[in-house]
Amino acid sequence: MASATMTSKGQVTVPKQVRERLHLKPGDRVAFRERPDGTIEFAAERVELMSLKGLLKPRRRGVTVEAMHEAVRRRFGRR
């Protein structure tokens, strides 16, 4: 497995083979988790799809009944 050296600021460059294996791109987040045996796990942080619920507000455009009738008249003609 690959290795890296930490800078004086605590920064480490993730080796290319690890980035490729984890499908990491610039801006992606990674997580560090301690396992019960004391080892540290390094993994790509995945976002749960449901955690994004409500992030975007739906765009609501009100339509009046008159506007609906007018659209029907334009499409099908007056009857």
Side-chain angles (χ1 to χ4, degrees), residues 52-67:
L52 302 176
K53 182 179 178 183
L55 186 64
L56 300 176
K57 294 184 180 183
R59 182 176 173 205
R60 298 180 191 253
R61 293 189 297 174
V63 178
T64 65
V65 173
E66 292 78 18

Side-chain angles (χ1 to χ4, degrees):
M1 188 42 98
S3 65
T5 303
M6 183 179 301
T7 69
S8 61
K9 293 184 178 185
Q11 299 172 335
V12 175
T13 299
V14 179
K16 182 178 180 183
Q17 71 185 70
V18 175
R19 291 192 313 265
E20 289 173 349
R21 174 76 172 91
L22 294 176
H23 306 286
L24 292 173
K25 312 177 290 305
D28 284 351
R29 295 183 57 88
V30 294
F32 299 90
R33 295 182 189 91
E34 185 173 1
R35 292 182 174 181
D37 66 359
T39 60
I40 302 296
E41 177 182 272
F42 169 87
E45 194 170 74
R46 304 291 179 215
V47 176
E48 291 292 325
L49 185 58
M50 290 308 293
S51 72
L52 302 176
K53 182 179 178 183
L55 186 64
L56 300 176
K57 294 184 180 183
R59 182 176 173 205
R60 298 180 191 253
R61 293 189 297 174
V63 178
T64 65
V65 173
E66 292 78 18
M68 286 189 274
H69 287 307
E70 181 59 32
V72 170
R73 278 197 281 286
R74 274 188 269 129
R75 174 67 174 95
F76 297 106
R78 201 166 191 101
R79 292 189 182 182

